[in-house]
C-alpha cells in the first residue's frame, strides 16, 4: 500500500463514527473515558461486548457482527490503514454493532474495565516463533492474565490460526497452567462439530492458506 493511500485512509478513519483512536498517554494516565462504558457510550446499548485482537482488515469482526446481531464487536489493531476497510464496510451497510479501536493490544487491561468483556477472538496472529519473541505471542501467560482481568467470569477466548506452532504452544500452555479447554480442533474444515462462527467466516488470508492446503486450527478456552 502506497504512503498516499495510507494517509488517505488515516484521514478517513478520523471521520468514521465507528473508529476510536485514543492517544497512548490518554490510556496510560487513566483519562480514557470509554473504559467501563463501551456498551452504553460507544455502542449505545447494553449488549455483550466481544473483542477481536489483531483484527487486520476487520473482516472477522464484521462477519461476526452480521452473524450475531445481538452482540457488539470491537476490532483492535495498531494499523489503522488495515482496518479502514472493515470500518468503511460497516458504515456502508449501516451496521451499528461493530466498531474499531486503534491501539496496542498490550493496553487492553487499561482500556477496558474488569469484567467488561464477554468474549475475545484472536484470529491468525503472528505466531512469533523465535524464542526471543515469546513476550509478543498473544496467548502467552502475561497476555492471558490481562484477558482474565477484563473478561467476565464465564468469558471465553477463541484462537483461530493456520500456525501449528501457535496451536501447539497455546495448548501446551493452557494444559500446563490449568486453564479450561472447551474446544480444540486441528482441522476445522474436516470436523463436523466446528462452531459455525469458525467455519462460516473466512478472511482474505485464510482463503490463501486454504489454497496452500494449510490446516486451520481452533481452540476455545476459559482462563482460570
Amino acid at each position: 500500500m502506497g504512503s498516499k493511500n495510507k494517509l488517505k485512509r488515516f484521514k478517513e478513519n478520523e471521520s468514521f463514527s465507528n473508529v476510536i483512536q485514543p492517544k497512548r498517554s490518554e490510556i496510560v494516565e487513566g483519562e480514557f473515558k470509554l473504559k467501563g462504558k463501551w456498551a452504553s457510550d460507544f455502542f449505545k446499548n447494553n449488549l455483550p461486548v466481544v473483542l477481536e485482537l489483531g483484527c487486520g482488515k476487520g473482516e472477522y469482526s464484521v462477519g461476526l457482527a452480521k452473524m450475531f446481531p445481538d452482540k457488539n464487536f470491537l476490532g483492535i489493531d495498531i494499523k489503522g490503514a488495515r482496518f479502514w476497510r472493515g470500518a468503511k464496510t460497516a458504515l456502508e451497510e449501516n451496521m451499528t454493532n461493530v466498531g474499531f479501536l486503534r491501539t496496542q493490544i498490550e493496553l487492553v487491561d487499561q482500556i477496558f474495565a474488569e469484567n467488561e468483556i464477554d468474549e475475545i477472538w484472536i484470529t491468525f496472529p503472528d505466531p512469533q516463533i523465535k524464542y526471543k519473541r515469546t513476550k509478543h505471542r498473544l496467548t502467552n501467560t502475561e497476555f492471558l492474565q490481562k484477558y482474565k482481568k477484563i473478561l467476565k467470569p464465564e468469558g471465553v477466548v477463541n484462537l483461530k490460526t493456520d500456525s501449528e506452532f501457535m496451536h501447539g504452544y497455546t495448548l501446551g500452555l493452557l494444559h500446563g497452567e490449568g486453564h479450561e479447554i472447551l474446544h480444540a480442533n486441528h482441522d476445522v474444515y474436516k470436523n463436523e462439530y466446528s462452531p459455525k462462527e469458525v467455519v462460516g467466516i473466512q478472511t482474505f488470508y485464510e482463503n490463501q492458506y486454504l489454497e496452500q492446503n494449510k490446516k486451520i486450527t481452533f481452540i476455545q478456552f476459559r482462563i482460570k
Side-chain angles (χ1 to χ4, degrees):
M1 190 190 302
S3 57
K4 277 188 177 178
N5 208 3
K6 273 189 179 180
L7 289 172
K8 183 184 174 186
R9 291 183 174 189
F10 284 139
K11 196 70 181 170
E12 271 198 75
N13 278 347
E14 290 175 12
S15 69
F16 288 170
S17 59
N18 60 355
V19 171
I20 300 292
Q21 303 185 92
K23 293 178 181 175
R24 186 183 177 93
S25 59
E26 186 184 344
I27 297 166
V28 174
E29 292 165 17
E31 296 171 0
F32 187 57
K33 299 288 193 296
L34 283 172
K35 183 176 181 179
K37 300 176 181 177
W38 279 95
S40 62
D41 290 11
F42 181 71
F43 291 105
K44 312 291 186 189
N45 59 43
N46 60 355
L47 299 175
V49 178
V50 181
L51 306 181
E52 185 195 0
L53 305 180
C55 68
K57 295 183 180 183
E59 299 154 291
Y60 225 91
S61 291
V62 170
L64 287 168
K66 288 180 179 178
M67 196 174 281
F68 300 100
D70 57 343
K71 294 181 182 180
N72 298 313
F73 293 89
L74 189 66
I76 301 176
D77 208 298
I78 193 59
K79 296 187 176 177
R82 280 190 190 168
F83 68 58
W84 165 88
R85 180 63 267 172
K88 193 172 179 70
T89 297
L91 288 174
E92 289 171 346
E93 299 186 16
N94 296 313
M95 299 176 67
T96 58
N97 68 325
V98 58
F100 294 90
L101 171 65
R102 183 172 183 259
T103 194
Q104 289 99 344
I105 292 170
E106 61 264 28
L107 298 177
V108 289
D109 57 336
Q110 297 179 69
I111 292 168
F112 304 98
E114 287 188 32
N115 306 326
E116 185 173 11
I117 302 304
D118 290 76
E119 192 173 355
I120 290 174
W121 279 83
I122 305 171
T123 51
F124 303 100
D126 185 331
Q128 308 286 0
I129 291 174
K130 292 182 179 178
Y131 179 75
K132 65 180 180 180
R133 301 289 297 174
T134 302
K135 67 179 182 179
H136 297 290
R137 291 176 200 155
L138 292 184
T139 55
N140 70 26
T141 300
E142 187 178 344
F143 273 116
L144 292 188
Q145 290 311 305
K146 288 177 184 283
Y147 306 155
K148 182 181 179 182
K149 186 177 174 184
I150 64 174
L151 279 166
K152 290 180 179 171
E154 292 303 304
V156 298
V157 180
N158 305 285
L159 171 68
K160 185 177 180 182
T161 178
D162 65 303
S163 168
E164 290 181 22
F165 170 83
M166 188 69 171
H167 183 80
Y169 164 81
T170 303
L171 271 183
L173 187 73
L174 296 174
H175 279 299
E177 295 187 351
H179 303 298
E180 182 183 1
I181 298 170
L182 304 170
H183 189 111
N185 190 332
H186 290 273
D187 190 349
V188 298
Y189 294 105
K190 288 191 177 175
N191 187 319
E192 61 182 297
Y193 300 109
S194 296
K196 65 176 182 178
E197 60 269 33
V198 175
V199 294
I201 304 170
Q202 291 179 359
T203 68
F204 172 79
Y205 291 110
E206 181 175 355
N207 283 316
Q208 289 190 332
Y209 302 147
L210 291 170
E211 285 176 9
Q212 297 165 20
N213 292 317
K214 279 190 171 185
K215 292 179 181 178
I216 306 300
T217 69
F218 175 69
I219 309 171
Q220 184 180 74
F221 59 95
R222 193 172 283 129
I223 305 165
K224 294 298 185 181

